[in-house]
Amino acid sequence: MSQAHGRSPQGPAGGDGGGDGGDGWDPDSREARLTRATQVRELVDAFAAVGVDVGVGGEDGDAGDRFDEMAFLYARGAVLTRDADVARVRRALGLDERPPAKDDGDERARRRRPGRGRERAGSSAGLTRIELDGRDTLEAVAELDRVLGPGVATPDHVLHVCPKGYACPATEPVPSDGPADPAPRDPALGTGVRVVVVDTGLVGELAQKVDVLAGVTGDEEDASAVGRYRGHGSFIAGIVKAMAPAAEVDVEAMLWVGGGILESDLAPALGRALESVPDVISLSAGATTRHGHPLLALEAFWEHGLRHVKGTVLVCAAGNNGDRGPFWPATSPWSVAVGALEPDGSRAPYSNHGSWVDVWARGSDLVAPYPVGAYTYAWPPHVGETASFGSGWASWSGTSFATPLVAGLVAARASWSGESARVAARSLVRAARAHATPYVGAVLEPGMADAP
């Protein structure tokens, strides 16, 4: 879910980050709308570069024509439905009942062909993607809502690390000299626990440079494909390792298309991640959807995958839209939804909120590993300015980064207490609720994982 919409301590030239991120924060300001439009345009262009036509949906569920008013993103030309509903969906659309093609199982090719432009079954257990043969996607879904009922078929939504773009200055990474903040915990925490980070991949050179990433494995990040989210996965892995230094952490490059992925591609990728039997899956991405319906592919992943793997827990970012959501899959009852706090313990104004947020953790101004090199800012207030990252560290803000803090604490708790990760997550949420912060909610802090 969901990155970089919080305050950072300094702007790229070492000046003030701009604004206090508090009462003056306005998601409808000119700066916020410009940032939102830039983020959405970059994501749409990234998918176009790999052959996927991504459309913008409006609040009414119809096609939108303004990037700054995006309510959801989807792949044009296809709908998703459960396997049991394929025949009636095809009949309702007047399509022939040819059997869908089977997934070819080629992992490397799949990662370079998101959506793959053909109907397929077996891409995620229980789910089929139906090609529309040139028909408008949202018109087809609206017709299916009327004929079969809402939610029987949905667009193939785009999940991304940077939703709507309700921005507080500054929204992008800021150079830091380190060290890690929060600081690494007891070196034994996380022993025997495996964490899978679903993100942009790992910068191998950085993992060799920064001690906190020692032992982290994963897919090498493709910097040219992820764009300005370069280093996002490595930053997150560093936060996990700070909370659970002894944990086995693997970074899967699933969000490689400009920081995004189609839900029909994410669900089977998560299914394959389950084959390694991880204790914790950390997902700093998500989506708003047409009419707020759950992500059908992720519901299928739960029904046919995660619920059958005893002990594994999915920790998700609550999103950075600054509203009550819903934001999927964090809103799903089978995930642990993490909202973001400011360093002073108050709710970060960019963080989504509501009773579906399970726990809160610091998400603003965290310091973690970041690739060495130059970064040119594209969002207000520092458009066009270039910062130099030479230390291997950066400061960054968002629910993206509150999420691995909680995932790391779950791993630490599981190793310390002997509980399964799913039970450890419940124990931590229960402890956080018992010491809830007034007007904020259940708060998790470093140190709570190994507290009696």
Side-chain angles (χ1 to χ4, degrees):
M1 169 8 317
S2 312
Q3 86 130 70
H5 293 275
R7 290 184 296 131
S8 292
Q10 292 183 323
D16 180 62
D20 63 4
D23 293 340
W25 182 78
D26 180 8
D28 292 318
S29 68
R30 181 179 179 278
E31 276 195 353
R33 295 179 73 88
L34 178 59
T35 299
R36 185 154 63 246
T38 302
Q39 292 166 342
V40 174
R41 182 182 298 107
E42 289 178 340
L43 193 57
V44 170
D45 288 347
F47 274 93
V50 294
V52 178
D53 185 10
V54 167
V56 176
E59 293 289 350
D60 59 1
D62 295 330
D65 57 3
R66 292 178 59 102
F67 287 154
D68 63 338
E69 294 180 353
M70 181 272 287
F72 62 95
L73 296 174
Y74 66 99
R76 291 189 176 104
V79 297
L80 302 180
T81 192
R82 286 180 167 85
D83 289 349
D85 293 319
V86 170
R88 63 180 184 136
V89 168
R90 294 191 64 84
R91 284 195 299 269
L93 292 174
L95 300 173
D96 64 74
E97 297 189 20
R98 66 180 183 272
K102 291 295 181 181
D103 195 339
D104 58 22
D106 184 343
E107 170 69 9
R108 186 177 300 276
R110 182 187 297 110
R111 288 187 175 182
R112 289 297 177 264
R113 292 180 290 148
R116 290 194 300 151
R118 65 185 179 89
E119 183 170 336
R120 66 196 193 276
S123 57
S124 179
L127 183 79
T128 293
R129 188 177 195 263
I130 297 177
E131 302 299 326
L132 295 176
D133 296 337
R135 188 167 183 172
D136 181 84
T137 301
L138 297 185
E139 289 180 1
V141 174
E143 180 178 341
L144 292 167
D145 282 353
R146 290 191 296 271
V147 175
L148 301 179
V152 174
T154 69
D156 191 356
H157 293 94
V158 176
L159 291 88
H160 33 72
V161 299
C162 194
K164 290 188 179 178
Y166 289 2
C168 299
T171 65
E172 297 169 275
V174 174
S176 171
D177 292 328
D181 182 17
R185 303 290 302 164
D186 182 337
L189 289 173
T191 300
V193 178
R194 176 175 170 80
V195 180
V196 169
V197 172
V198 175
D199 215 88
T200 59
L202 178 69
V203 180
E205 183 180 9
L206 182 64
Q208 297 173 11
K209 176 183 177 68
V210 180
D211 288 346
V212 75
L213 290 177
V216 175
T217 60
D219 303 320
E220 183 68 25
E221 182 181 87
D222 184 344
S224 64
V226 301
R228 65 185 59 263
Y229 301 110
R230 177 173 178 257
H232 194 267
S234 300
F235 194 95
I236 285 171
I239 297 171
V240 174
K241 286 288 280 186
M243 296 299 96
E248 177 188 350
V249 177
D250 184 67
V251 186
E252 298 280 346
M254 299 184 192
L255 309 177
W256 66 271
V257 185
I261 189 172
L262 298 180
E263 62 171 296
S264 64
D265 289 328
L266 177 60
L270 288 172
R272 290 187 293 275
L274 282 182
E275 295 174 3
S276 66
V277 197
D279 299 286
V280 184
I281 301 175
S282 180
L283 176 63
S284 290
T288 49
T289 62
R290 180 180 177 273
H291 295 326
H293 292 309
L295 290 165
L296 197 56
L298 274 295
E299 292 299 305
F301 163 70
W302 163 252
E303 293 164 4
H304 297 274
L306 184 59
R307 70 187 292 261
H308 300 289
V309 181
K310 184 178 181 180
T312 300
V313 64
L314 177 66
V315 182
C316 298
N320 303 325
N321 302 349
D323 60 29
R324 297 186 60 84
F327 187 78
W328 306 97
T331 310
S332 299
W334 41 266
S335 72
V336 176
V338 183
L341 301 176
E342 296 286 281
D344 64 5
S346 62
R347 284 188 186 180
Y350 56 80
S351 180
N352 286 349
H353 49 273
S355 59
W356 54 273
V357 177
D358 295 297
V359 70
W360 296 81
R362 181 179 160 195
S364 291
D365 303 341
L366 273 68
V367 177
Y370 187 81
V372 172
Y375 181 96
T376 300
Y377 291 80
W379 310 333
H382 301 295
V383 177
E385 297 181 33
T386 298
S388 178
F389 291 80
S391 67
W393 298 93
S395 174
W396 221 346
S397 301
T399 56
S400 267
F401 311 124
T403 300
L405 194 153
V406 171
L409 289 175
V410 171
R413 172 76 184 193
S415 68
W416 181 79
S417 67
E419 299 165 309
S420 73
R422 196 174 294 180
V423 173
R426 292 178 191 145
S427 297
L428 285 172
V429 171
R430 189 181 307 116
R433 287 173 178 163
H435 301 89
T437 300
Y439 308 108
V440 174
V443 173
L444 276 180
E445 298 178 348
M448 294 181 69
D450 52 342

